[in-house]
Amino acid sequence: MESSSIRVRVVIAGSLAAVAAAGAVIGGQPASAKAEAGIRAETGALAEAGATAGVSVRGEGNARAEAGAGTVQKSIKWGECPELAPGAKRDPRQTCGTVEVPLDYRRPRGESITVAVSRIATAKPGKKRGDLLFNPGGPGLQGLDMPGQMALTLPKKVRDSYDLIGFDPRGVGHSTPMSCGLPGAAGLLAVFPYPGAGGSIKENVATARSVAAQCATVGARLQYFTSANTARDMDRIRRALGARKLSYWGQSFGTYLGAVYTSLFPRNTDRMVLEGNVDPNKAWAKMLNTWNQGMNDRFPDAARVAAANDAGLGLGDTLKEVTDSFLALADRLDRRPATVPGAPVAVSGGLLRGVTYQMLQRNETLAPLTQFWKAMAGLSEGKAPTDADVAVLRQIFADTPPAKGVPADNQVTMALAMICGDTTWSRDVDSYAKAVAGARAKYPLSGGMPNNILPCAFWSKKPIEPLVKVTSHGPRNVLILQNRRDNATPWAAGRGMRKALGDRAGFVGVEHGGHFAYGTGSACADQATVAFLTEGTLPAKDLTCAGPKS
């Protein structure tokens, strides 16, 4: 199989250092950090939160009527792509264009916005099956350069069968980018806030109110940037490509987007791969809550790496000792944050946990993560960092400016637009405080973050429509890939997607840690994915694959 041994992933333009001073972050690893340490930015893989609203089915007929009314673009003028962020790279074969879509599909002849799309035409004449659209998740992640990144991992027979298509979802990146005008210090902690010392959420409540008030200034437009409307945009992309059906590969939040698309447009869906899955029946608070167990499942993998290197790290030589060291360090940093030399960063317990969450998503970053723990333990005790400490701190806290034309707070704005705009949240502040206290007692590794208050609790606009109901109605044309020990989209969430799609989907579970299943060392999972994309073959029964050989 023609695939790189280390899978290339999309990196968020944005600075971890810029938000670190606020005390917590989940996504936004800088490009330089990724290049040096392989850190994958995912905005926490999901920015999932919020109390569930009532769900309803939007039938395919209604969806088609919505997507078909008004002026529908029938082709794409391919040309140069937008300017990259400093230090970023792009496949030279890639071309870009735009697709015009309605801001509000209920008023298709009203205001329109543009969605930036890209293409690498890899399909061979006579062998082309169709177009394979990618989405990296988030929400809020740019996907315009995903075709080139995925081309590095896909075997020739897949590339021969499909043109590879990317897009920045509406409001994201170069697709009519939205901004709440948030200051850098607000950053991603607004999406994933960790409580303060002792579990206090007082500052989180104040931040949530402030961010919601700021976003309210653009709320009249922001309310239309939802998961359902993004799925409708995908069908507009299909039509502009001239494709009868659309194949799709979604990761993390992108799995939810794919499930919504195939529920709205089952007859327009060709072959769909969903990797690292959201449970569509837990959008969004209950999905975020699954991170508690996900952290418990995944953290031991890193703790074992640390224990095996106790002589160099000094964090303990057993799983329990390392875990206790981590929890004690987080508590110390909550009470007295430590300054990182050479960077305007005061690392709190929340930031320690946020970086840990991020780096747990890939096996390649487990060893650097344990070095980060060691470095922060030393700084918290007033010790000078070693050369190895300095190297890993530079990787993690390097600064990367956004691409030209993309607001600095675009990722945060769009993560909030989706999770706050898709569902209605509880406004009971006391209920969040109680939930955080209970979660901290039961799941100390998560620190109460998955149960904490977000700006959605004070959001100015109600959802414009109910959630799309994801069901088992439709053709059998979906492959679910799910790791057993995934801290970002845990095993239970993958099984939830499996249950929601029923017989429509084949399921491949991988005995592996981390957020990504394909191209990470499981030949079984890779073969199942390639067979599905090229031959349409799905496992007759749920398949369990071994993880990579150590």
Side-chain angles (χ1 to χ4, degrees), residues 92-117:
R93 299 171 296 172
Q94 180 170 298
T95 56
C96 293
T98 59
V99 175
E100 187 174 310
V101 301
L103 172 67
D104 180 2
Y105 276 91
R106 299 171 303 178
R107 299 173 179 84
R109 300 184 187 277
E111 181 182 354
S112 64
I113 59 175
T114 59
V115 173
V117 295

Side-chain angles (χ1 to χ4, degrees), residues 75-80 95-98 117-120 165-166 240-241:
S75 64
I76 299 172
K77 183 179 180 180
W78 299 106
E80 291 187 6
T95 56
C96 293
T98 59
V117 295
S118 61
R119 180 179 68 173
I120 297 180
I165 309 297
L241 289 169

Side-chain angles (χ1 to χ4, degrees), residues 92-371:
R93 299 171 296 172
Q94 180 170 298
T95 56
C96 293
T98 59
V99 175
E100 187 174 310
V101 301
L103 172 67
D104 180 2
Y105 276 91
R106 299 171 303 178
R107 299 173 179 84
R109 300 184 187 277
E111 181 182 354
S112 64
I113 59 175
T114 59
V115 173
V117 295
S118 61
R119 180 179 68 173
I120 297 180
T122 60
K124 299 300 181 184
K127 294 185 178 181
K128 181 176 178 178
R129 173 177 180 81
D131 299 288
L132 180 57
L133 180 70
F134 297 101
N135 180 270
L141 282 177
Q142 299 176 41
L144 202 63
D145 290 301
M146 201 171 175
Q149 294 153 356
M150 293 299 293
L152 296 174
T153 75
L154 295 171
K156 185 175 184 297
K157 59 182 177 179
V158 173
R159 301 195 308 271
D160 287 352
S161 300
Y162 297 92
D163 284 346
L164 310 182
I165 309 297
F167 75 116
D168 284 348
R170 61 166 50 206
V172 174
H174 299 282
S175 294
T176 311
M178 297 298 293
S179 169
C180 289
L182 299 171
L188 289 165
L189 93 147
V191 185
F192 300 110
Y194 282 87
S200 172
I201 70 167
K202 182 178 179 180
E203 291 187 10
N204 302 138
V205 173
T207 298
R209 288 186 187 276
S210 174
V211 170
Q214 187 66 35
C215 287
T217 63
V218 292
R221 298 190 76 233
L222 203 59
Q223 65 182 324
Y224 302 110
F225 292 80
T226 63
S227 298
N229 278 343
T230 303
R232 294 178 181 114
D233 294 344
M234 288 166 54
D235 206 58
R236 287 295 183 103
I237 293 172
R238 175 192 66 80
R239 297 175 74 167
L241 289 169
R244 188 174 64 86
K245 293 187 176 184
L246 186 68
S247 290
Y248 175 81
W249 190 323
Q251 299 167 346
S252 198
F253 169 81
T255 64
Y256 178 71
L257 187 59
V260 170
Y261 177 82
T262 198
S263 296
L264 288 174
F265 305 101
R267 296 181 184 178
N268 298 350
T269 305
D270 191 8
R271 294 173 182 172
M272 178 170 285
V273 178
L274 304 180
E275 179 186 17
N277 289 264
V278 170
D279 183 340
N281 289 318
K282 291 186 176 180
W284 288 118
K286 292 180 180 179
M287 182 62 216
L288 186 61
N289 294 165
T290 67
W291 286 7
N292 286 313
Q293 186 58 48
M295 191 68 168
N296 277 11
D297 293 340
R298 177 58 167 162
F299 185 88
D301 291 341
R304 291 186 186 96
V305 172
N309 191 26
D310 182 46
L313 300 174
L315 298 172
D317 62 2
T318 67
L319 176 60
K320 184 179 185 306
E321 287 179 354
V322 174
T323 303
D324 289 345
S325 293
F326 174 82
L327 292 173
L329 174 60
D331 183 66
R332 289 200 307 273
L333 293 174
D334 268 339
R335 299 179 189 285
R336 195 164 92 181
T339 300
V340 174
V345 177
V347 180
S348 67
L351 183 53
L352 175 84
R353 295 175 191 272
V355 172
T356 296
Y357 172 93
Q358 196 67 32
M359 296 180 73
L360 285 174
Q361 293 183 28
R362 292 185 63 84
N363 281 346
E364 300 96 300
T365 54
L366 294 186
L369 172 59
T370 63
Q371 185 68 42

